[in-house]
Amino acid sequence: MPDEKTRNLPWWKRTTVYQIYPRSFKDSTGNGIGDIPGIITKLDYLQDLGVETIWFSPFFSSPQTDHGYDVSNYRDIAPEYGTMADCDRLIQEIHNRAMYVVFDMVLNHTSDQHPWFLESRLSRENPKRDWYIWRDGKKSGGRKPPNNWKSMVGGSGWHYDDVTDQWYWAQFLPFQPDLNYRNPDVKKEMFDTVRFWLNRGVDGFRLDIINTIFEDEQLQNNPFAWKLFPSEEDEKSLFQNKIFTINHPDNFAFVKELRSVMDEYSDPERFLVGEIAASFDTLKKYCGEEVDKNQTNGLHLVFLFQSLNANLNASTLRNIINKYEEYFNEPYTPTWVFSNHDQIRRISKLGNDLVKAKLNTTLQLTARGVPFIYYGEEIGMFNHRLPIKTAQDPVALRFRWYHQLLVNLLVRDGSFSLNRDDCRTPMQWNSSLNAGFCPADSKPWLPAGARYETINVEVEESESDSLLHCYRNLLRLRRNTPALHSGSMHVLEQPMNKKTLLTYERRHNRQVVQVWLNLSNKPVQTDDAKGKRSLLFSTLLDSKPLRATSIYLEPYQGIVLELREGDS
Ligand code: NOJ
């Protein structure tokens, strides 16, 4: 198993996670779709990059209508991605490199092509009927949905099926019917599926929309709310306060049960990270209560999405850190997420500015918590605006007709996209046609992104001040510095005239490390830097931030310092 250097914190609290969207990482067959054998050829790259855990978006059997988030067999691999033997080899090869592997579990819903759903819809008496949520419609002839519940993506989440003259519930898109976890057989089957993968060596799971597992049994209508667009902080959107469909109280007991399944396994410990949009109080509740100095009894981690759209300024980031520390102090652990397969890539929210991207990364990899890096983030892949006409993303297709209107309303600053294809373009390995993702004469499932000829692994390997090297240096530093992977976190006060500076201290035993981030377009100099300090890292290679009695930071420069004994 992976080699443990320090045993102070469980491995999953110290780790760094890299997300692979399998369809877009590396195609080994030339069919334009990434696959498992392709990923295996790139594991050395990831090991060398210095990430410690790899999370795979789903590659289980699926009609791929939502590119794997619509599963039709949880215990098999979609043929376009490979075979079960490839999957076993992937797990083995990752472990051989002392890294960990996380799969993506879509417990909330299946594909409508899953044999369970095909059976369920056959008749009201079918043994699988109650595996999904079926109800009579309202009003004349049941022609209206059972209640006012809206799906996450808009419109009623109820879908009429004339075979049995009833409606089924789908929290996401219509082809993703929700499983009914009030049926004990469903829960048993899915918990056994989790065990199936744990037995094959999987070290953890990312849990897709785990906050929508249960809905109100009485089907009470969701109350009205004055809010149209969803946000990360609450359940309100589309003029509904979705208290009966999102973050239902029964979810909290469910995640604890799931946690106890994970706790059946040890050496190494396995972990869960939940995809949840909610207030800090609710997010913390999903993690359960403290059971000892290192552990709680719910989800090990939840994604904290508050950082996704955070402006790169000191007060915003200081507030976020302080909130994370307030709510997720030990034994809770924050997470640091800036991009994923549903979001606009972070660098594009920073104006595709490399200097800012390096600063952002310095924060992500030095703050207390588990960082989640999205493939291509380490080379600064831009978000690629693709035409809606050729969209493959089912969410984009749903909004196809009023897409332009929404874009005009919302996308003025480039921070909103309805087409998730934009952030899923092929990994950029080199400057050849198709960016080395697939052969030059193949057609990739999505075109290579903007400026792939210069923004790619091969080019950035050869440039010492590339973003890739910045990630590599920071990941290495974090791994070798206990204060960074396991230390406490404390935001330092700055004088009023230095408010664009964000500084924090990480401590572990006698080691003290400080992170200084200049979040402004002007240089900043402080005169309070006395004592012996050594520079561990700088986002700018040729600068001299440590002066005799001061610290001088260029615009948007970030540095990491170690304070020598007696100087803290
Ligand atoms: C959240 C996932 O991140 C997204 O990609 C997917 O489409 C939905 N859940 C439905 O599974």
Side-chain angles (χ1 to χ4, degrees), residues 200-232:
R200 290 190 110 90
V202 169
D203 300 300
F205 296 101
R206 177 262 188 191
L207 302 171
D208 193 67
I209 51 172
I210 193 68
N211 57 340
T212 61
I213 286 286
F214 284 104
E215 297 75 33
D216 180 51
E217 239 183 324
Q218 270 68 55
L219 260 59
Q220 297 175 74
N221 279 330
N222 278 329
F224 176 83
W226 272 114
K227 191 168 167 227
L228 173 57
F229 296 110
S231 61
E232 304 305 341

Side-chain angles (χ1 to χ4, degrees), residues 388 396 399-408 417-419:
I388 200 78
F399 292 108
R400 184 196 294 231
W401 304 117
Y402 27 98
H403 184 258
Q404 200 48 50
L405 175 71
L406 289 168
V407 166
N408 292 344
S417 168
L418 284 169
N419 186 359

Side-chain angles (χ1 to χ4, degrees), residues 19 21 55 57 66 68-70 104 106 108-109 152 172-173 176 206 208-209 275 340-342 393-395 420 424:
Q19 179 190 357
Y21 197 69
W55 148 34
S57 283
D66 191 8
Y69 286 94
D70 49 332
D104 207 319
V106 190
N108 180 69
H109 50 266
M152 274 185 162
F172 209 69
L173 287 161
Q176 291 162 312
R206 177 262 188 191
D208 193 67
I209 51 172
E275 187 202 18
N340 66 33
H341 63 290
D342 296 329
D393 171 21
V395 172
R420 297 177 301 174
R424 299 173 176 177

